[in-house]
Amino acid sequence: MIDTLARRCLDGDLRAVARLISLLEDGDKNAFGTLAALKQRSGQAHVIGITGPPGSGKSTLTDKLIGEFRASGKKVGVIAVDPSSPFSGGAILGDRLRMQEHATDPGVFIRSLASRGRLGGLSKATAFALRALEAAGYDIVIIETVGVGQSEIDIVKVADTVVLISVPGLGDDIQVIKAGIMEIGDIFVVNKSDRDGADRVVREIRAMLETQAMLKRGRSVDAGPDTLSARNAEILHHGQNDLRPETMPDRADPFDLPPVMKTIAETGEGVPELCREILSRFEDAKASGELEKRRQASIKSQLKDLVGWQVMDYFVDHEENGRLDNLARAILTREIDIYTAARELFSALIKGERQ
Amino acid sequence: MERKIRVIVAKPGLDGHDRGAKVIARALRDAGMEVIYTGLRQTPEQIVQAAIQEDADVIALSILSGAHNHLFPRVVDLLKEKGADDILVFGGGVIPEEDIPFLKSKGIAEVFGPGTPTSVTVDFIKTHLKRE
Amino acid sequence: MSESEKLEKALQDWNAKVEKSIAKYPERKAAFVTGSNSPVRRIYTPIDVGNKDKLETVGLPGEFPYTRGVQSTMYRGRLWTMRQYAGFGNAEESNARYKFLLAQGQTGLSIAFDLPTQIGYDSDHPLAAGEVGKVGVAIDSLEDMETLFGGIPLDKVSTSMTINAPASVLLAMYIAVAEKQGVPAGKLDGTIQNDILKEYVARGTYIFPPTPSMRLITDIFSYCSKEVPSWNTISISGYHIREAGATAVQEVAFTLADGIAYVDAAIKAGLDVDEFAPRLSFFFNAHNDLFEEAAKFRAARRVWAHIMKERFGAKNPKSLMLRFHTQTAGSTLTAQQPENNVVRVTIQALAAVLGGTQSLHTNSRDEALALPTEASVRIALRTQQILAYESGVAETPDPLAGSYYVETLTDSIEEGVLAYIKRIDDLGGAVKAIEQGYIQQEIQDSAYAWQMDVEKNERVVVGLNKFQVKEGPPKGLLRVDPAVGENQVAKLRALRARRDNAAVTAALEALKVAAMGSDNLMPYILTAVKTYATLGEVCDVLRGVFGEYRPSVMF
C-alpha cells in the first residue's frame, strides 16, 4: 500500500498526491514511510512563501504569479493555508476562489489546508504537503498564508523565497514591525500600489530594512553578545525562530537590501517583474551556495521541530489519566512549583523511553 | 488526530443565488468539517478537479436555475472517469421532486429541497460517506 | 397635569397591572421581535411618537420628505402598476404569456431573461448548456427581441426589463424594436434594472469589474436623459439583498448606499444631478412582517429625500422622490403546502400597498418549486386586483400614518439605515465596502442567524417547522421545453449565415475603439444590435476591453 502510493505519486497520479497530503495531515504513520520512499525528489522544487495581512490581495497576486510560471512551462503546486474555527474545529477554505483561472489546468495543483488549531503543527502539515507536491514533480510550490504573526513565520520559513505583501492604508506600521517578520522577507511587495500612500509604504519598508541591516552589521563587527546592537537584534526577533541572523549568511554589503516592489495584482501590473525577481534571486542563491546554506539551516530547524513533536506525541500518548490535572492542582495549592513538576514529568518520560 | 471530513461546496452553472450554499458551508464548518467553498460559475470540470486536489469526501452542489438535469450527472460522470467515484455527491436548491429519481439514477446520492434543516444535511454526510 | 403627564401616569399603572398578570399568565414568548429580529414592545402609545414636528417628519403625500408617498393623491389618482415578472423558454412562448397577462388586466410588462442572456452569453456558449430558457426568455439578438414584442405596441405598454450587466444592449434592442414599430425612442416608457452593485453582493449576474460597469451605467443615464427621457434608467435594488438574508434595515441601507454610489458616479461623469436623478427608481422586497415592511418603505422615502437634498443639493422635487417597484418575498414561500403561499403573498402585497409602492409583482403559489403556471400567475394577479378594488386600502394615501407602532418603526428603521450609511461612508462608499466584503458579510450573518432561528423553532414557518402534513409530490408544475436550447442554437446559426457579417464586424470594431476611449457607448451598441450582432458578440467585445469581475468571498 505504501509503495503503491509512492509509485502513484511519482507517476503524477493526482488522486494519490491528494491522498498522501491528507494522510500526512492526519498524522498517519504509514504516510511518512511513503514520504521516505519519495526522498529522491526532495529539494527539487523552488518553494515560495507568500504571506500578508487580510485584504492585501495575496491570493490575487498568487493567482497572477501562477500564470507567469505556467507561461514559462513550470508546473505549480499551491498550498493555501486558512484558519480553522477554534469552536468547532471546522473551517471554510476559500482561497481557491481567487485562483479560478487555473482551476482546470493540469499543471497546477491547489490544495487548501486548515490550521486545525495546531499552532506549531500547521507548519508541519505544510512542510509535508509541500514534499508530497515536490515528489509529484511540481517545479514550484507556493505556500500562501494570511497574516503576519508567529505562525505564519513558522509556515513560510521552509520556503526558499519569502515574499511579504503589504498594502497602503491598512495601518502598515503595525503589520510590518511584528516580531521576526522583517527578518524573513526576501522580497517585499506593496500591492494595490495604485492607492494613495503606496510610495510612503515603500519608503517605510526600505527604512526598516536599512535599520535592520545596520543593526546586523553592527553586531557582526562587535563579536560579543552583550553589545547594544546584539540586544537590539534579539529584540527584533524574539520568536522561536532558527533563522536568526547568526545562522544566515551575513550580508556584509549594507546595500544588498531585499527589494521592495510595487504591484497591482488585479491588473497584473508589476507581476512579470516580481516573477523575474523571484526566479533570478533563486538562481543566484543556487549559484552562490547561499541556497544550500539556507536550506541546511531550515532543515536543522525542521529536524528540531520534528524531534520536539515526536517527544510531545510520545508524551501525550503515554499520558496517565489525571496526572496532569493532579499536578496542576498541586501547583495551584503551592504543594509543588511548576518547574519542579515539569522536571519530574520529563525525567519520567526519559526513564519510560529507556524502559 | 481525528480525521476531518472535507466537503466541496459548489454552484455549478450560471446561477448566482448563493444564500443557501453559504449557509450550508457555515453549518458544515460548525459541525467540524473542512469546507472548500468554490463559489459561483463552476463547470463540472472545475468542481471535479477541486474535489480531487482537495481529497474531498463529499461534493455538495447548489442550484436554483433549473439546469440540474444537465449539470449534476456531468459531475458524477467526470468523477467516474477520473477514478474518483468514491466521493459522495448530493445536491440542493430548486429541484422538482419529479427530477429526483433521474438524478439518483445518475449517481446523485440525495437531493435536499427548500426548507431542509441544515442538521439533516450534516447527518446525511456523516452517515453516508463512501470512503473509510 | 398635562395630557402627556396623564398618559405617562396611566401607562405606569397599566404596566404594573400587566406585569402582575404576566407573573400568573406569562406571554406566549419571552421576547417579541419583528421579522428582522428587532424588539417589539408591549404597547405603543403617543409617548413613543413624542413631540417631533409631524409636518417635518411625517408631512403630507407628495410633499418633502415624502414619508407618506411621492404623489399627492397616490392610489386615488392612479393605482399602482400591476406588473408581473414573466418570461421563459423562447421569445414565442414568452410573447404568448405577456399577451395573456395583458388580457387579464396586467398594466405593465416585466421581462425575465434567462441566465446566459443576463450574463452576456449566447445560447450556444459552452457555459449556457442546460441553462437556455430556464429562468427567463433567451434573447440572443434583435431577432429574438422582435419576436418577444411581436404584436405588443411599445407606445402603449411600459416595459420593465430585469437586466443588469448587459442592460445597455437589451435597451438598445428595445429601442430598435420600437423604431421598427414606428415608435420613436422619445415615446418609450419603461425601466431597466441596470444595478450592478447588488449583483456583486447578492445576485451574481455580473460581467465586468466595477469601474467599467459604472461607466456603462452613467453612459445610459446620459443617453436616456436626452433620447429616452421617460425611461427609468436604473432600478436600484434591495429585493435581492433581502432575499440573500438581509434584515429590513440592511435592505434599505445597502440599497441607498448603492444609490449614493451611482449618484456620485454620475456626477463625477459630469452629469447634473437634476438631469438624471428624476429617472432613478428603486426596487424593494415585501416581506412577512406587515407593519415593519410598511414602515420600511416610509423610512426609505424619508431618508432618500434628505440625502438627495442635503448631500447632493438636488433642486428638482422629482430628484428627491424615491419611486419604487416591489416584489413579494420569494424566499418566504414554502415548497410544503404551496397553497399557503397565496396567503403569504397577500399579506406581503398588502404591506407594499400600505407602503405606497408605485408598481408591484406578486409571486405565485408554486414558485418555491418552479416557474408559475398560467393558473398560478392568474391568482397572483387577482390578489393585486382584490386588494385594489375590494379591500379599501387604496382609497386614501398612507392609511397607517399616525399609528404609534408604525411611526415608531419608521423612525427606528431610519436610525438604523443612517448608521449603516455612515459606516459605509467611513469605509469609502459602497464600492469599497463591497471590495472589502463588508456588505456581503453582514448579509451572510443575518442569513445564518435566520436559518438557525428556524431550525431551533424560534421562528415558525407554517407548514415547514410547525403544522406539517404528509404530502405527495406536487403536480402540474411548469416545465421548460428542453428543446429550447437546441432550437436557439439552430436559430443562431441561421442568423449568422443570413446577416451582413461585414457590417457586424465593422460595428463591433467601432464599439471596441469607443470602449477603449471615453465616448458614450450607447450609440455604438445601438448600431451593433441593428446589424444583428448577437448579445454574446457585443459583450465579448466589452469583455476584451473591460475584463471580467473576479469575486472575493469572506466567511
Side-chain angles (χ1 to χ4, degrees), chain B residues 113-128:
Chain B
T116 307
T118 54
S119 51
V120 167
T121 311
V122 169
D123 288 338
F124 180 82
I125 291 176
K126 290 188 173 159
T127 52
H128 286 78

Side-chain angles (χ1 to χ4, degrees), chain A residues 26-42:
Chain A
D26 293 339
D28 183 303
K29 302 281 192 296
N30 292 328
F32 295 108
T34 310
L35 259 193
L38 296 169
K39 74 170 187 294
Q40 79 232 54
R41 286 257 182 98
S42 85

Side-chain angles (χ1 to χ4, degrees), chain C residues 156-325:
Chain C
K156 301 257 174 18
V157 166
S158 85
T159 302
S160 171
M161 295 194 278
T162 298
I163 191 79
N164 293 277
S168 51
V169 187
L170 275 302
L171 176 60
M173 289 184 185
Y174 190 82
I175 293 171
V177 170
E179 227 176 78
K180 286 217 170 137
Q181 282 185 6
V183 179
K187 282 238 165 89
L188 293 176
D189 230 308
T191 307
I192 34 172
Q193 197 166 84
N194 195 28
D195 169 6
I196 198 64
L197 294 178
K198 64 96 170 53
E199 296 298 322
Y200 298 134
V201 152
R203 192 168 181 270
T205 65
Y206 43 77
I207 306 177
F208 320 109
T211 308
S213 300
M214 290 303 233
R215 182 258 181 99
L216 277 169
I217 290 170
T218 53
D219 277 359
I220 293 174
F221 286 178
S222 172
Y223 181 83
C224 289
S225 73
K226 299 185 197 70
E227 308 293 334
V228 203
S230 304
W231 196 264
N232 297 313
T233 48
I234 192 170
S235 183
I236 306 166
S237 305
Y239 175 80
H240 322 84
I241 292 174
R242 188 67 181 271
E243 291 292 279
T247 61
V249 167
Q250 290 168 339
E251 179 193 340
V252 177
F254 299 153
T255 307
L256 298 192
D258 286 348
I260 291 171
Y262 291 126
V263 175
D264 270 333
I267 290 175
K268 233 179 240 142
L271 297 170
D272 177 68
V273 69
D274 286 316
E275 229 179 275
F276 65 87
R279 278 292 155 209
L280 302 175
S281 67
F282 290 80
F283 174 27
F284 287 117
N285 191 304
H287 214 268
N288 285 332
D289 191 314
L290 181 68
F291 296 116
E292 185 177 51
E293 293 301 291
K296 175 188 86 180
F297 301 122
R298 303 169 90 244
R301 276 193 295 268
R302 187 156 79 204
V303 175
W304 185 249
H306 279 285
I307 287 175
M308 288 309 286
K309 184 168 194 214
E310 286 134 36
R311 184 171 178 143
F312 293 110
K315 299 275 180 322
N316 184 341
K318 292 214 157 78
S319 301
L320 313 177
M321 295 176 193
L322 183 147
R323 299 170 303 119
F324 66 101
H325 170 75

Side-chain angles (χ1 to χ4, degrees), chain B residues 49-97:
Chain B
Q49 171 117 329
I52 289 176
Q53 291 178 356
E54 300 289 350
D55 197 32
D57 302 293
V58 187
I59 295 176
L61 301 169
S62 157
I63 200 164
L64 285 75
S65 64
H68 48 276
N69 283 339
H70 176 88
L71 292 167
F72 283 15
R74 195 79 196 97
V75 171
V76 176
D77 290 342
L78 274 173
L79 284 173
K80 266 195 207 106
E81 254 175 64
K82 308 258 172 178
D85 56 352
D86 58 348
I87 296 178
L88 177 69
V89 183
F90 68 86
V94 176
I95 295 169
E97 239 175 277

Side-chain angles (χ1 to χ4, degrees), chain A residues 221-233:
Chain A
V221 167
D222 305 308
D226 283 318
T227 57
L228 181 65
S229 33
R231 240 176 275 135
N232 285 342

Side-chain angles (χ1 to χ4, degrees), chain C residues 108 125 286:
Chain C
H125 192 278

